[in-house]
Amino acid sequence: MSGLQVFAFAVLVLVVTVSLGAALWAPAPYEKQFREAPNAPPSARFPLGTDELGRDRLSRLLFGSRLSLLLAPAAALLSTGIAVCLGLAAAHFGGWIERAVLEASDLFSSVPWLFLLLAVRAMLPLNVPPITSVGITFALLGLLGWASGVRVVRAAVVNAAGSDFVLQARACGCAPRRILFVHLAAAILPVLTAQYWLAVPQFLLAEANLGILGLGVTEPLPSWGNMLADLQNVPAILEAPWRLAPALLLLLVLGCFQLVLSKKEVQP
């Protein structure tokens, strides 16, 4: 890794560490309202000011960062797991199973992923409890984000299937299931790791887009998405530029991910 990549990685570690310890650093609970100070400017008491309900913006940013930085990797893990299962099945069984998996992947890939995500979320109930909204957002990101990795996994499995260690395992009488889930799965682990980390920033951005449109995590739980909804009021931003803090932090995290992953390309 270059010096710039090391710096970006250090920034990511710092942001994640601070976010996970949000309860230690936050000046106040994220849902607490200071009714005497709505829309307060930054001060010693409120470093990033307060929102229209009098809630401390810094506290909400810390807790919202924790939620988004936990939600996106968890959803990426689910989508990568689905891609692995489907890619392994397509490469191992072939025939109609392979055709069905590849055609489903093509169908999902032909529709813009964000549009598909918004369309499916809009069909689900909008007025749900905050915890339920977290589960819905996690499930949607994970269940709809697998298509891009299926072909990569399948190609890696097909390439590894002709390797000497697989031929030796077959010659030793290993069961097909063991070859598939032990030998081949271990051989494509670097590909899976790259697919997983490439999906995390994609899901961070997708959660932010859902939140801006009111389709993601619902109030009073904070996330980068619903905090970015403030940016729809341009005059308010010009009067209170500290409202840009969630957007700047999201851009910083996405930029750091891009720098760290810039040389980790997946070869199909």
Side-chain angles (χ1 to χ4, degrees):
M1 294 176 66
S2 65
L4 187 58
Q5 287 178 311
V6 172
F7 175 76
F9 181 76
V11 171
L12 285 176
V13 171
L14 178 62
V15 171
V16 171
T17 302
V18 173
S19 300
L20 292 179
L24 299 176
W25 319 115
Y30 65 84
E31 76 281 6
K32 184 176 180 179
Q33 299 181 20
F34 298 90
R35 299 182 183 274
E36 74 283 2
N39 287 319
S43 62
R45 184 183 182 190
F46 305 115
L48 287 179
T50 61
D51 62 12
E52 63 277 1
L53 298 178
R55 298 174 299 189
D56 182 69
R57 288 185 181 275
L58 177 59
S59 298
R60 292 185 61 77
L61 180 59
L62 290 172
F63 281 101
S65 300
R66 183 176 69 177
L67 181 60
S68 295
L69 289 173
L70 289 176
L71 183 65
L77 184 62
L78 176 60
S79 69
T80 303
I82 295 173
V84 169
C85 293
L86 294 178
L88 284 173
H92 180 71
F93 295 106
W96 69 269
I97 295 180
E98 182 179 23
R99 291 195 301 272
V101 170
L102 294 181
E103 288 177 3
S105 174
D106 290 340
L107 178 62
F108 273 76
S109 300
S110 64
V111 180
W113 184 67
L114 184 58
F115 175 78
L116 178 64
L117 187 64
L118 294 175
V120 174
R121 179 63 185 93
M123 292 188 295
L124 299 175
L126 301 180
N127 187 18
V128 296
I131 296 299
T132 304
S133 70
V134 174
I136 291 175
T137 304
F138 160 75
L140 285 178
L141 292 175
L143 294 176
L144 298 179
W146 55 268
S148 61
V150 167
R151 286 187 174 273
V152 175
V153 173
R154 173 191 167 276
V157 173
V158 171
N159 184 55
S163 302
D164 293 339
F165 67 91
V166 174
L167 297 177
Q168 184 177 3
R170 288 174 178 168
C172 292
C174 288
R177 181 177 301 178
R178 178 177 176 82
I179 293 176
L180 181 63
F181 290 104
V182 176
H183 299 282
L184 289 177
I188 64 172
L189 185 59
V191 175
L192 302 183
T193 303
Q195 282 294 304
Y196 172 77
W197 288 113
L198 287 172
V200 171
Q202 179 185 8
F203 288 165
L204 283 172
L205 192 57
E207 186 278 324
N209 280 280
L210 285 176
I212 291 174
L213 297 175
L215 300 175
V217 179
T218 58
E219 296 280 358
L221 278 176
S223 72
W224 282 344
N226 57 32
M227 293 188 70
L228 288 174
D230 281 351
L231 302 186
Q232 299 178 30
N233 189 349
V234 177
I237 297 174
L238 296 177
E239 296 176 1
W242 51 87
R243 294 188 178 197
L244 290 170
L248 296 177
L249 183 57
L250 175 60
L251 290 175
L252 175 65
V253 170
L254 293 177
C256 289
F257 264 111
Q258 179 65 29
L259 286 173
V260 172
L261 300 174
S262 59
K263 292 186 178 181
K264 294 184 178 180
E265 299 178 355
V266 180
Q267 298 294 336

